């Protein structure tokens, strides 16, 4: 790898170990083996590098979830009843959330910074539609190229809202997380207009 790639890998490591806001340029240099001047040369600033690190980490995490056996399981998974697939995919996502707490903590930390960091908000806003498209593809078991743009906008936003909420909940009450089946049951109740507690 060249210095640019080394810096990005170092920044991603720092993101997990120290968090977004607490990572310094010197931390990144120590983690990457590059020199301080190379941050400015390749990325313009430490903040620009950290923005790239959070986006790259998120994209890699999403891609790895999409490759999980329960998610990408071929024709059988694609042909499953929609709520069964919904539950199975969420179980795979929830497993990753439970076992990758440093990544989840970094994601949630960044959410809190968005109102006061215009550059960070704009950078994440640029890739958000692509993230929604990827989530629709994962949950529907189709390639990204087959996702309708309107479905990506509407349904992708729904999945993003659920994912963000579950990430936050995992840090607050990790022992009270729902399962994929719980989420599917909740969705069934909501769409059927059932009253909570009714038999």
């Amino acid at each position: 790898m060249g210095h640019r790639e080394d810096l990005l890998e170092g920044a991603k490591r720092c993101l997990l170990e120290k968090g977004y806001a607490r990572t310094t340029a010197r931390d990144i240099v120590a983690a990457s083996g590059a020199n301080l001047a190379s941050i400015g040369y390749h990325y313009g600033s430490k903040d620009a590098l950290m923005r790239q690190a959070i986006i790259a980490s998120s994209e890699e995490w999403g891609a790895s979830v999409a490759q999980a056996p329960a998610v990408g399981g071929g024709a059988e998974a694609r042909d499953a009843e929609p709520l069964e697939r919904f539950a199975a995919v969420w179980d795979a996502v929830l497993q990753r959330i439970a076992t990758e707490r440093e990544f989840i903590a970094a994601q949630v930390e960044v959410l809190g910074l968005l109102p006061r960091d215009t550059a960070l908000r704009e950078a994440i806003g640029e890739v958000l539609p692509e993230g929604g498209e990827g989530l629709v593809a994962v949950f529907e078991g189709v390639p990204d190229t087959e996702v309708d743009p309107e479905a990506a906008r509407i349904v992708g936003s729904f999945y993003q809202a659920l994912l963000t909420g579950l990430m936050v909940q995992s840090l607050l009450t990790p022992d009270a997380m729902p399962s994929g089946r719980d989420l599917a049951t909740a969705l069934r109740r909501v769409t059927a207009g059932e009253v909570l507690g009714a038999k």
Side-chain angles (χ1 to χ4, degrees):
M1 289 192 297
H3 277 205
R4 182 178 178 83
E5 294 80 12
D6 290 339
L7 286 166
L8 184 58
E9 290 304 312
K12 288 190 293 185
R13 278 197 298 279
C14 290
L15 190 61
L16 299 181
E17 294 168 7
K18 299 186 69 93
Y20 186 91
R22 291 183 58 222
T23 294
T24 67
R26 292 191 184 281
D27 292 330
I28 297 169
V29 167
S32 66
N35 58 62
L36 205 54
S38 63
I39 293 176
Y41 177 78
H42 289 290
Y43 290 93
S45 69
K46 185 269 291 186
D47 290 340
L49 171 54
M50 289 302 292
R51 287 192 294 272
Q52 187 60 45
I54 193 72
I55 290 168
S57 295
S58 299
E59 290 172 345
E60 290 165 10
W61 192 81
S64 65
V65 167
Q67 297 302 316
V71 175
E76 183 180 316
R78 285 192 298 276
D79 294 340
E81 189 269 325
L83 278 179
E84 288 178 11
R85 180 168 176 81
F86 179 91
V89 174
W90 276 118
D91 278 335
V93 172
L94 288 161
Q95 176 64 28
R96 294 297 295 277
I97 288 174
T99 57
E100 298 181 33
R101 292 182 61 77
E102 294 85 2
F103 171 79
I104 301 304
Q107 293 290 310
V108 172
E109 176 194 358
V110 166
L111 293 176
L113 299 173
L114 295 178
R116 295 176 193 86
D117 189 329
T118 303
L120 180 60
R121 187 170 62 248
E122 289 175 352
I124 292 176
E126 285 178 14
V127 298
L128 203 59
E130 184 181 325
E133 183 178 279
L135 284 168
V136 173
V138 165
F139 277 91
E140 293 184 0
V142 299
D144 292 6
T145 54
E146 293 181 19
V147 176
D148 174 71
E150 190 67 356
R153 184 181 71 82
I154 297 172
V155 184
S157 292
F158 169 72
Y159 288 132
Q160 285 172 328
L162 269 176
L163 179 59
T164 302
L166 289 165
M167 286 182 169
V168 173
Q169 187 176 348
S170 76
L171 297 178
L172 294 171
T173 55
D175 296 331
M177 292 293 286
S179 66
R181 180 70 51 208
D182 293 336
L183 294 172
T185 298
L187 185 59
R188 186 182 290 114
R189 290 186 73 120
V190 169
T191 56
E194 297 175 10
V195 178
L196 187 64
K199 298 293 185 189

